[in-house]
Amino acid sequence: MANELPAETVVVQDPQQAVALLNPLRALILANMHEPVSAAEIGRMMGQTPQKINYHLKALEKVGLVRRMGSRQVRNLVGVLYQAIAKSFILSDALGFEPETVRRMKEDGSLSHLVHTSDKLKRDALRLLERSEAGMAVHSASLSATVRLAGEEARQLFVQDYLEAVRQLTAKYGAAEDEGRSANKPPEANESDAELYDVLIAVYPQIRSGED
């Protein structure tokens, strides 16, 4: 069980699992569980208490969306590790949800992730500013752009192209140690000196001046 990897995608046909995914916080917790993690670790990532995360983990485990993956000892505490059964979830049409319900669930889940990403960016930026002020070199990059998308078809095509471009880039420079080095992956001068960098990207409707 400890070596079992999450599936890429699971089609959810169980109503109880679908209801769990309708909860934005639980959907966001699942998005942070591609690797075995404890309630305390997820809590730190999301700015929530371990008790609150543990409550939702129990609910997700009960409906089979997460599984236990052993334990990890940190200092004098032993934390149970959990992992999502898949990296992404798709609701089956057989569930009979109204299209509007499915649309709102996808939208709410994406917006919850956007809020979490924004919070993480702010927290990490403050820590990095402290390092910079202390004289440490901080390497970073940022990109700001606006795209014009007319209609649902254009939005869907943009999202597909956007995700594929990011997938290719992260696959080329991916941090997974057990996947081996791809043919087009750039060599490191010294693999032991390699640093990990977070990549956080978001696409959302432009908010014009004066809008709430």
Side-chain angles (χ1 to χ4, degrees), residues 1-10 26-38 41-42 45-46 57 65-67 69 72 81-89 113 170 176 178-179:
M1 177 70 72
N3 294 323
E4 190 170 353
L5 297 175
E8 285 295 324
T9 303
V10 163
R26 291 177 183 174
L28 189 54
I29 289 173
L30 286 170
N32 285 284
M33 299 185 66
H34 296 167
E35 300 290 338
V37 288
S38 67
E41 291 169 329
I42 298 175
M45 288 187 285
M46 298 179 57
L57 283 176
L65 290 176
V66 304
R67 53 178 170 242
M69 302 292 289
R72 179 185 298 142
L81 300 179
Y82 295 89
Q83 186 174 26
I85 64 170
K87 296 179 180 179
S88 62
F89 299 89
H113 185 66
T170 53
D178 57 348
E179 293 180 356

mmCIF file of all heavy atoms in Angstrom, residues 1-10 26-38 41-42 45-46 57 65-67 69 72 81-89 113 170 176 178-179:
data_model
loop_
_atom_site.group_PDB
_atom_site.id
_atom_site.type_symbol
_atom_site.label_atom_id
_atom_site.label_comp_id
_atom_site.label_asym_id
_atom_site.label_seq_id
_atom_site.Cartn_x
_atom_site.Cartn_y
_atom_site.Cartn_z
ATOM 1 N N MET A 1 0.813 -1.199 0.000
ATOM 2 C CA MET A 1 0.000 0.000 0.000
ATOM 3 C C MET A 1 0.851 1.254 0.000
ATOM 4 O O MET A 1 0.563 2.225 -0.662
ATOM 5 C CB MET A 1 -0.931 -0.017 1.222
ATOM 6 C CG MET A 1 -1.790 1.242 1.348
ATOM 7 S SD MET A 1 -3.044 1.318 0.044
ATOM 8 C CE MET A 1 -4.158 0.035 0.596
ATOM 9 N N ALA A 2 1.982 1.243 0.737
ATOM 10 C CA ALA A 2 2.808 2.441 0.872
ATOM 11 C C ALA A 2 3.422 2.844 -0.458
ATOM 12 O O ALA A 2 3.777 3.999 -0.656
ATOM 13 C CB ALA A 2 3.900 2.219 1.907
ATOM 14 N N ASN A 3 3.564 1.863 -1.422
ATOM 15 C CA ASN A 3 4.181 2.170 -2.700
ATOM 16 C C ASN A 3 3.154 2.443 -3.788
ATOM 17 O O ASN A 3 3.514 2.666 -4.934
ATOM 18 C CB ASN A 3 5.082 1.007 -3.134
ATOM 19 C CG ASN A 3 6.277 0.832 -2.208
ATOM 20 O OD1 ASN A 3 6.833 1.800 -1.724
ATOM 21 N ND2 ASN A 3 6.636 -0.410 -1.949
ATOM 22 N N GLU A 4 1.861 2.402 -3.443
ATOM 23 C CA GLU A 4 0.815 2.592 -4.438
ATOM 24 C C GLU A 4 0.736 4.057 -4.837
ATOM 25 O O GLU A 4 0.607 4.943 -3.998
ATOM 26 C CB GLU A 4 -0.524 2.114 -3.881
ATOM 27 C CG GLU A 4 -1.619 2.061 -4.928
ATOM 28 C CD GLU A 4 -2.871 1.369 -4.418
ATOM 29 O OE1 GLU A 4 -2.822 0.823 -3.292
ATOM 30 O OE2 GLU A 4 -3.881 1.381 -5.138
ATOM 31 N N LEU A 5 0.810 4.312 -6.150
ATOM 32 C CA LEU A 5 0.774 5.680 -6.652
ATOM 33 C C LEU A 5 -0.655 6.082 -6.990
ATOM 34 O O LEU A 5 -1.474 5.241 -7.369
ATOM 35 C CB LEU A 5 1.660 5.798 -7.888
ATOM 36 C CG LEU A 5 3.150 5.529 -7.692
ATOM 37 C CD1 LEU A 5 3.874 5.569 -9.037
ATOM 38 C CD2 LEU A 5 3.757 6.537 -6.733
ATOM 39 N N PRO A 6 -0.968 7.381 -6.894
ATOM 40 C CA PRO A 6 -2.320 7.815 -7.251
ATOM 41 C C PRO A 6 -2.550 7.702 -8.751
ATOM 42 O O PRO A 6 -1.629 7.854 -9.548
ATOM 43 C CB PRO A 6 -2.341 9.276 -6.794
ATOM 44 C CG PRO A 6 -0.917 9.708 -6.825
ATOM 45 C CD PRO A 6 -0.118 8.495 -6.438
ATOM 46 N N ALA A 7 -3.799 7.419 -9.120
ATOM 47 C CA ALA A 7 -4.148 7.389 -10.541
ATOM 48 C C ALA A 7 -4.111 8.807 -11.090
ATOM 49 O O ALA A 7 -4.208 9.782 -10.348
ATOM 50 C CB ALA A 7 -5.543 6.785 -10.714
ATOM 51 N N GLU A 8 -3.947 8.930 -12.401
ATOM 52 C CA GLU A 8 -3.965 10.260 -13.007
ATOM 53 C C GLU A 8 -5.352 10.887 -12.869
ATOM 54 O O GLU A 8 -5.484 12.042 -12.480
ATOM 55 C CB GLU A 8 -3.572 10.180 -14.489
ATOM 56 C CG GLU A 8 -2.083 9.969 -14.723
ATOM 57 C CD GLU A 8 -1.246 11.143 -14.239
ATOM 58 O OE1 GLU A 8 -1.704 12.290 -14.361
ATOM 59 O OE2 GLU A 8 -0.137 10.896 -13.733
ATOM 60 N N THR A 9 -6.388 10.109 -13.214
ATOM 61 C CA THR A 9 -7.768 10.608 -13.169
ATOM 62 C C THR A 9 -8.702 9.498 -12.729
ATOM 63 O O THR A 9 -8.535 8.349 -13.120
ATOM 64 C CB THR A 9 -8.218 11.116 -14.557
ATOM 65 O OG1 THR A 9 -7.318 12.130 -15.007
ATOM 66 C CG2 THR A 9 -9.621 11.705 -14.495
ATOM 67 N N VAL A 10 -9.666 9.846 -11.885
ATOM 68 C CA VAL A 10 -10.702 8.908 -11.471
ATOM 69 C C VAL A 10 -12.060 9.498 -11.830
ATOM 70 O O VAL A 10 -12.335 10.671 -11.529
ATOM 71 C CB VAL A 10 -10.636 8.628 -9.949
ATOM 72 C CG1 VAL A 10 -11.940 8.011 -9.456
ATOM 73 C CG2 VAL A 10 -9.478 7.689 -9.632
ATOM 74 N N ARG A 26 -12.627 20.592 0.928
ATOM 75 C CA ARG A 26 -12.186 19.213 0.733
ATOM 76 C C ARG A 26 -11.575 19.015 -0.653
ATOM 77 O O ARG A 26 -10.596 18.269 -0.806
ATOM 78 C CB ARG A 26 -13.355 18.253 0.960
ATOM 79 C CG ARG A 26 -13.788 18.210 2.416
ATOM 80 C CD ARG A 26 -14.989 17.316 2.669
ATOM 81 N NE ARG A 26 -15.371 17.402 4.079
ATOM 82 C CZ ARG A 26 -16.445 16.823 4.599
ATOM 83 N NH1 ARG A 26 -17.243 16.091 3.829
ATOM 84 N NH2 ARG A 26 -16.724 16.950 5.887
ATOM 85 N N ALA A 27 -12.132 19.690 -1.652
ATOM 86 C CA ALA A 27 -11.542 19.617 -2.997
ATOM 87 C C ALA A 27 -10.142 20.211 -2.990
ATOM 88 O O ALA A 27 -9.222 19.695 -3.640
ATOM 89 C CB ALA A 27 -12.434 20.353 -3.992
ATOM 90 N N LEU A 28 -9.951 21.284 -2.226
ATOM 91 C CA LEU A 28 -8.639 21.920 -2.146
ATOM 92 C C LEU A 28 -7.652 21.046 -1.376
ATOM 93 O O LEU A 28 -6.468 20.978 -1.720
ATOM 94 C CB LEU A 28 -8.774 23.278 -1.468
ATOM 95 C CG LEU A 28 -7.544 24.190 -1.470
ATOM 96 C CD1 LEU A 28 -7.021 24.389 -2.881
ATOM 97 C CD2 LEU A 28 -7.880 25.526 -0.844
ATOM 98 N N ILE A 29 -8.128 20.371 -0.338
ATOM 99 C CA ILE A 29 -7.272 19.443 0.409
ATOM 100 C C ILE A 29 -6.763 18.343 -0.531
ATOM 101 O O ILE A 29 -5.570 18.014 -0.548
ATOM 102 C CB ILE A 29 -8.030 18.833 1.600
ATOM 103 C CG1 ILE A 29 -8.263 19.897 2.681
ATOM 104 C CG2 ILE A 29 -7.267 17.643 2.190
ATOM 105 C CD1 ILE A 29 -9.157 19.431 3.818
ATOM 106 N N LEU A 30 -7.662 17.789 -1.332
ATOM 107 C CA LEU A 30 -7.269 16.731 -2.275
ATOM 108 C C LEU A 30 -6.216 17.224 -3.261
ATOM 109 O O LEU A 30 -5.320 16.469 -3.650
ATOM 110 C CB LEU A 30 -8.502 16.232 -3.037
ATOM 111 C CG LEU A 30 -9.474 15.353 -2.255
ATOM 112 C CD1 LEU A 30 -10.759 15.145 -3.050
ATOM 113 C CD2 LEU A 30 -8.849 14.007 -1.909
ATOM 114 N N ALA A 31 -6.307 18.499 -3.649
ATOM 115 C CA ALA A 31 -5.344 19.054 -4.596
ATOM 116 C C ALA A 31 -3.943 19.137 -4.008
ATOM 117 O O ALA A 31 -2.961 19.251 -4.745
ATOM 118 C CB ALA A 31 -5.796 20.445 -5.039
ATOM 119 N N ASN A 32 -3.831 19.055 -2.677
ATOM 120 C CA ASN A 32 -2.529 19.114 -2.006
ATOM 121 C C ASN A 32 -2.049 17.744 -1.532
ATOM 122 O O ASN A 32 -1.152 17.659 -0.692
ATOM 123 C CB ASN A 32 -2.611 20.057 -0.804
ATOM 124 C CG ASN A 32 -2.623 21.517 -1.201
ATOM 125 O OD1 ASN A 32 -1.597 22.087 -1.553
ATOM 126 N ND2 ASN A 32 -3.808 22.114 -1.179
ATOM 127 N N MET A 33 -2.645 16.679 -2.080
ATOM 128 C CA MET A 33 -2.348 15.331 -1.574
ATOM 129 C C MET A 33 -1.843 14.388 -2.658
ATOM 130 O O MET A 33 -2.133 13.197 -2.632
ATOM 131 C CB MET A 33 -3.597 14.746 -0.902
ATOM 132 C CG MET A 33 -4.087 15.541 0.290
ATOM 133 S SD MET A 33 -5.463 14.731 1.127
ATOM 134 C CE MET A 33 -4.643 13.254 1.769
ATOM 135 N N HIS A 34 -1.077 14.902 -3.616
ATOM 136 C CA HIS A 34 -0.512 14.028 -4.648
ATOM 137 C C HIS A 34 0.623 13.168 -4.081
ATOM 138 O O HIS A 34 0.965 12.140 -4.640
ATOM 139 C CB HIS A 34 0.005 14.859 -5.821
ATOM 140 C CG HIS A 34 -1.085 15.606 -6.530
ATOM 141 N ND1 HIS A 34 -0.840 16.608 -7.434
ATOM 142 C CD2 HIS A 34 -2.430 15.482 -6.455
ATOM 143 C CE1 HIS A 34 -1.992 17.074 -7.897
ATOM 144 N NE2 HIS A 34 -2.959 16.415 -7.321
ATOM 145 N N GLU A 35 1.200 13.618 -2.969
ATOM 146 C CA GLU A 35 2.215 12.861 -2.249
ATOM 147 C C GLU A 35 1.689 12.588 -0.833
ATOM 148 O O GLU A 35 0.824 13.307 -0.338
ATOM 149 C CB GLU A 35 3.534 13.650 -2.162
ATOM 150 C CG GLU A 35 4.146 14.003 -3.508
ATOM 151 C CD GLU A 35 4.682 12.784 -4.231
ATOM 152 O OE1 GLU A 35 4.965 11.777 -3.556
ATOM 153 O OE2 GLU A 35 4.813 12.842 -5.475
ATOM 154 N N PRO A 36 2.193 11.529 -0.162
ATOM 155 C CA PRO A 36 1.747 11.257 1.216
ATOM 156 C C PRO A 36 2.056 12.438 2.131
ATOM 157 O O PRO A 36 3.189 12.915 2.196
ATOM 158 C CB PRO A 36 2.560 10.022 1.612
ATOM 159 C CG PRO A 36 2.872 9.348 0.313
ATOM 160 C CD PRO A 36 3.086 10.468 -0.673
ATOM 161 N N VAL A 37 1.044 12.937 2.820
ATOM 162 C CA VAL A 37 1.199 14.081 3.726
ATOM 163 C C VAL A 37 0.354 13.859 4.969
ATOM 164 O O VAL A 37 -0.597 13.083 4.973
ATOM 165 C CB VAL A 37 0.781 15.406 3.062
ATOM 166 C CG1 VAL A 37 1.769 15.856 2.015
ATOM 167 C CG2 VAL A 37 -0.616 15.282 2.454
ATOM 168 N N SER A 38 0.705 14.562 6.038
ATOM 169 C CA SER A 38 -0.055 14.486 7.287
ATOM 170 C C SER A 38 -1.006 15.662 7.377
ATOM 171 O O SER A 38 -0.902 16.636 6.627
ATOM 172 C CB SER A 38 0.902 14.501 8.483
ATOM 173 O OG SER A 38 1.549 15.762 8.584
ATOM 174 N N GLU A 41 0.906 18.852 7.983
ATOM 175 C CA GLU A 41 1.574 19.397 6.803
ATOM 176 C C GLU A 41 0.591 20.108 5.882
ATOM 177 O O GLU A 41 0.871 21.194 5.367
ATOM 178 C CB GLU A 41 2.295 18.268 6.054
ATOM 179 C CG GLU A 41 3.505 17.715 6.805
ATOM 180 C CD GLU A 41 4.049 16.446 6.193
ATOM 181 O OE1 GLU A 41 3.268 15.661 5.614
ATOM 182 O OE2 GLU A 41 5.266 16.230 6.287
ATOM 183 N N ILE A 42 -0.574 19.496 5.680
ATOM 184 C CA ILE A 42 -1.594 20.142 4.855
ATOM 185 C C ILE A 42 -2.060 21.432 5.521
ATOM 186 O O ILE A 42 -2.279 22.453 4.864
ATOM 187 C CB ILE A 42 -2.789 19.198 4.619
ATOM 188 C CG1 ILE A 42 -2.340 17.945 3.875
ATOM 189 C CG2 ILE A 42 -3.890 19.909 3.824
ATOM 190 C CD1 ILE A 42 -3.425 16.919 3.717
ATOM 191 N N MET A 45 0.313 24.195 4.791
ATOM 192 C CA MET A 45 0.212 24.636 3.409
ATOM 193 C C MET A 45 -1.015 25.516 3.174
ATOM 194 O O MET A 45 -0.975 26.465 2.400
ATOM 195 C CB MET A 45 0.166 23.430 2.460
ATOM 196 C CG MET A 45 1.481 22.686 2.309
ATOM 197 S SD MET A 45 1.402 21.410 1.016
ATOM 198 C CE MET A 45 0.430 20.136 1.821
ATOM 199 N N MET A 46 -2.110 25.199 3.878
ATOM 200 C CA MET A 46 -3.375 25.879 3.636
ATOM 201 C C MET A 46 -3.722 26.923 4.688
ATOM 202 O O MET A 46 -4.749 27.599 4.575
ATOM 203 C CB MET A 46 -4.500 24.832 3.549
ATOM 204 C CG MET A 46 -4.341 23.843 2.413
ATOM 205 S SD MET A 46 -5.667 22.610 2.340
ATOM 206 C CE MET A 46 -7.110 23.668 2.196
ATOM 207 N N LEU A 57 -10.094 15.081 6.481
ATOM 208 C CA LEU A 57 -9.404 13.888 5.991
ATOM 209 C C LEU A 57 -10.165 12.622 6.355
ATOM 210 O O LEU A 57 -10.256 11.685 5.553
ATOM 211 C CB LEU A 57 -7.984 13.830 6.555
ATOM 212 C CG LEU A 57 -6.943 14.747 5.922
ATOM 213 C CD1 LEU A 57 -5.627 14.642 6.668
ATOM 214 C CD2 LEU A 57 -6.753 14.406 4.447
ATOM 215 N N LEU A 65 -11.828 8.584 -0.984
ATOM 216 C CA LEU A 65 -11.099 9.500 -1.861
ATOM 217 C C LEU A 65 -9.638 9.656 -1.444
ATOM 218 O O LEU A 65 -8.814 10.113 -2.233
ATOM 219 C CB LEU A 65 -11.784 10.871 -1.890
ATOM 220 C CG LEU A 65 -13.137 10.902 -2.607
ATOM 221 C CD1 LEU A 65 -13.775 12.281 -2.484
ATOM 222 C CD2 LEU A 65 -12.992 10.514 -4.074
ATOM 223 N N VAL A 66 -9.317 9.310 -0.189
ATOM 224 C CA VAL A 66 -7.927 9.298 0.264
ATOM 225 C C VAL A 66 -7.659 7.969 0.954
ATOM 226 O O VAL A 66 -8.590 7.285 1.384
ATOM 227 C CB VAL A 66 -7.603 10.474 1.227
ATOM 228 C CG1 VAL A 66 -7.937 11.806 0.595
ATOM 229 C CG2 VAL A 66 -8.309 10.313 2.553
ATOM 230 N N ARG A 67 -6.402 7.615 1.064
ATOM 231 C CA ARG A 67 -6.029 6.383 1.744
ATOM 232 C C ARG A 67 -4.831 6.641 2.647
ATOM 233 O O ARG A 67 -4.036 7.562 2.407
ATOM 234 C CB ARG A 67 -5.702 5.283 0.747
ATOM 235 C CG ARG A 67 -4.674 5.677 -0.291
ATOM 236 C CD ARG A 67 -4.356 4.519 -1.235
ATOM 237 N NE ARG A 67 -3.548 4.968 -2.358
ATOM 238 C CZ ARG A 67 -3.928 4.907 -3.620
ATOM 239 N NH1 ARG A 67 -5.106 4.410 -3.937
ATOM 240 N NH2 ARG A 67 -3.144 5.337 -4.590
ATOM 241 N N MET A 69 -1.192 6.049 4.160
ATOM 242 C CA MET A 69 0.065 5.636 3.539
ATOM 243 C C MET A 69 1.168 5.512 4.583
ATOM 244 O O MET A 69 2.321 5.875 4.340
ATOM 245 C CB MET A 69 0.464 6.656 2.465
ATOM 246 C CG MET A 69 -0.570 6.846 1.369
ATOM 247 S SD MET A 69 -0.767 5.386 0.323
ATOM 248 C CE MET A 69 0.759 5.402 -0.598
ATOM 249 N N ARG A 72 4.744 9.136 9.793
ATOM 250 C CA ARG A 72 6.035 9.807 9.814
ATOM 251 C C ARG A 72 6.226 10.451 11.183
ATOM 252 O O ARG A 72 5.313 11.106 11.691
ATOM 253 C CB ARG A 72 6.089 10.866 8.717
ATOM 254 C CG ARG A 72 7.411 11.650 8.681
ATOM 255 C CD ARG A 72 7.347 12.763 7.650
ATOM 256 N NE ARG A 72 7.152 12.226 6.301
ATOM 257 C CZ ARG A 72 6.391 12.801 5.381
ATOM 258 N NH1 ARG A 72 5.731 13.899 5.666
ATOM 259 N NH2 ARG A 72 6.271 12.264 4.189
ATOM 260 N N LEU A 81 0.034 9.510 7.604
ATOM 261 C CA LEU A 81 0.153 10.051 6.258
ATOM 262 C C LEU A 81 -1.029 9.607 5.398
ATOM 263 O O LEU A 81 -1.433 8.442 5.439
ATOM 264 C CB LEU A 81 1.459 9.592 5.605
ATOM 265 C CG LEU A 81 2.757 9.993 6.317
ATOM 266 C CD1 LEU A 81 3.955 9.441 5.553
ATOM 267 C CD2 LEU A 81 2.863 11.502 6.466
ATOM 268 N N TYR A 82 -1.566 10.546 4.642
ATOM 269 C CA TYR A 82 -2.670 10.270 3.728
ATOM 270 C C TYR A 82 -2.273 10.693 2.322
ATOM 271 O O TYR A 82 -1.425 11.565 2.129
ATOM 272 C CB TYR A 82 -3.928 11.041 4.131
ATOM 273 C CG TYR A 82 -4.522 10.653 5.465
ATOM 274 C CD1 TYR A 82 -4.097 11.277 6.635
ATOM 275 C CD2 TYR A 82 -5.518 9.689 5.549
ATOM 276 C CE1 TYR A 82 -4.647 10.932 7.863
ATOM 277 C CE2 TYR A 82 -6.076 9.345 6.779
ATOM 278 C CZ TYR A 82 -5.643 9.968 7.928
ATOM 279 O OH TYR A 82 -6.189 9.632 9.145
ATOM 280 N N GLN A 83 -2.935 10.082 1.328
ATOM 281 C CA GLN A 83 -2.697 10.463 -0.058
ATOM 282 C C GLN A 83 -3.997 10.322 -0.838
ATOM 283 O O GLN A 83 -4.771 9.387 -0.626
ATOM 284 C CB GLN A 83 -1.629 9.577 -0.687
ATOM 285 C CG GLN A 83 -1.215 10.003 -2.092
ATOM 286 C CD GLN A 83 -0.046 9.181 -2.619
ATOM 287 O OE1 GLN A 83 0.148 8.037 -2.204
ATOM 288 N NE2 GLN A 83 0.745 9.737 -3.517
ATOM 289 N N ALA A 84 -4.244 11.259 -1.758
ATOM 290 C CA ALA A 84 -5.424 11.169 -2.611
ATOM 291 C C ALA A 84 -5.306 9.965 -3.535
ATOM 292 O O ALA A 84 -4.202 9.599 -3.945
ATOM 293 C CB ALA A 84 -5.585 12.444 -3.427
ATOM 294 N N ILE A 85 -6.414 9.344 -3.875
ATOM 295 C CA ILE A 85 -6.371 8.166 -4.743
ATOM 296 C C ILE A 85 -6.102 8.549 -6.196
ATOM 297 O O ILE A 85 -5.796 7.682 -7.015
ATOM 298 C CB ILE A 85 -7.675 7.354 -4.658
ATOM 299 C CG1 ILE A 85 -8.857 8.166 -5.185
ATOM 300 C CG2 ILE A 85 -7.930 6.891 -3.227
ATOM 301 C CD1 ILE A 85 -10.132 7.351 -5.358
ATOM 302 N N ALA A 86 -6.242 9.847 -6.522
ATOM 303 C CA ALA A 86 -6.006 10.295 -7.893
ATOM 304 C C ALA A 86 -5.531 11.737 -7.895
ATOM 305 O O ALA A 86 -5.725 12.471 -6.926
ATOM 306 C CB ALA A 86 -7.277 10.147 -8.734
ATOM 307 N N LYS A 87 -4.909 12.140 -8.996
ATOM 308 C CA LYS A 87 -4.451 13.521 -9.136
ATOM 309 C C LYS A 87 -5.583 14.447 -9.562
ATOM 310 O O LYS A 87 -5.539 15.648 -9.325
ATOM 311 C CB LYS A 87 -3.306 13.591 -10.152
ATOM 312 C CG LYS A 87 -2.057 12.833 -9.706
ATOM 313 C CD LYS A 87 -0.966 12.913 -10.747
ATOM 314 C CE LYS A 87 0.269 12.155 -10.312
ATOM 315 N NZ LYS A 87 1.364 12.200 -11.323
ATOM 316 N N SER A 88 -6.599 13.892 -10.224
ATOM 317 C CA SER A 88 -7.754 14.685 -10.623
ATOM 318 C C SER A 88 -8.991 13.806 -10.638
ATOM 319 O O SER A 88 -8.894 12.572 -10.726
ATOM 320 C CB SER A 88 -7.544 15.317 -12.009
ATOM 321 O OG SER A 88 -7.376 14.307 -12.994
ATOM 322 N N PHE A 89 -10.160 14.450 -10.531
ATOM 323 C CA PHE A 89 -11.427 13.731 -10.456
ATOM 324 C C PHE A 89 -12.416 14.315 -11.458
ATOM 325 O O PHE A 89 -12.482 15.535 -11.652
ATOM 326 C CB PHE A 89 -12.016 13.827 -9.046
ATOM 327 C CG PHE A 89 -11.134 13.224 -7.979
ATOM 328 C CD1 PHE A 89 -10.168 13.990 -7.341
ATOM 329 C CD2 PHE A 89 -11.264 11.887 -7.617
ATOM 330 C CE1 PHE A 89 -9.349 13.451 -6.372
ATOM 331 C CE2 PHE A 89 -10.448 11.329 -6.651
ATOM 332 C CZ PHE A 89 -9.483 12.112 -6.024
ATOM 333 N N HIS A 113 -8.935 27.286 -5.132
ATOM 334 C CA HIS A 113 -7.514 27.053 -5.380
ATOM 335 C C HIS A 113 -6.800 28.369 -5.692
ATOM 336 O O HIS A 113 -5.657 28.572 -5.286
ATOM 337 C CB HIS A 113 -7.350 26.073 -6.536
ATOM 338 C CG HIS A 113 -5.932 25.689 -6.784
ATOM 339 N ND1 HIS A 113 -5.189 24.970 -5.874
ATOM 340 C CD2 HIS A 113 -5.110 25.940 -7.831
ATOM 341 C CE1 HIS A 113 -3.967 24.790 -6.346
ATOM 342 N NE2 HIS A 113 -3.898 25.371 -7.526
ATOM 343 N N THR A 170 7.026 21.786 -16.995
ATOM 344 C CA THR A 170 7.302 21.177 -15.702
ATOM 345 C C THR A 170 7.820 19.747 -15.859
ATOM 346 O O THR A 170 8.580 19.263 -15.023
ATOM 347 C CB THR A 170 6.045 21.179 -14.810
ATOM 348 O OG1 THR A 170 4.948 20.572 -15.522
ATOM 349 C CG2 THR A 170 5.658 22.597 -14.416
ATOM 350 N N ALA A 176 10.691 15.266 -9.733
ATOM 351 C CA ALA A 176 10.547 13.885 -9.279
ATOM 352 C C ALA A 176 11.853 13.136 -9.461
ATOM 353 O O ALA A 176 12.421 13.089 -10.538
ATOM 354 C CB ALA A 176 9.431 13.182 -10.049
ATOM 355 N N ASP A 178 12.366 9.857 -8.970
ATOM 356 C CA ASP A 178 12.268 8.453 -9.356
ATOM 357 C C ASP A 178 11.785 8.281 -10.792
ATOM 358 O O ASP A 178 11.536 7.180 -11.227
ATOM 359 C CB ASP A 178 11.324 7.710 -8.404
ATOM 360 C CG ASP A 178 9.946 8.334 -8.367
ATOM 361 O OD1 ASP A 178 9.794 9.456 -8.885
ATOM 362 O OD2 ASP A 178 9.041 7.701 -7.813
ATOM 363 N N GLU A 179 11.638 9.364 -11.560
ATOM 364 C CA GLU A 179 11.134 9.238 -12.916
ATOM 365 C C GLU A 179 12.253 9.181 -13.944
ATOM 366 O O GLU A 179 12.024 8.997 -15.123
ATOM 367 C CB GLU A 179 10.210 10.412 -13.237
ATOM 368 C CG GLU A 179 8.926 10.393 -12.412
ATOM 369 C CD GLU A 179 8.028 11.571 -12.752
ATOM 370 O OE1 GLU A 179 8.466 12.411 -13.561
ATOM 371 O OE2 GLU A 179 6.930 11.636 -12.229
#
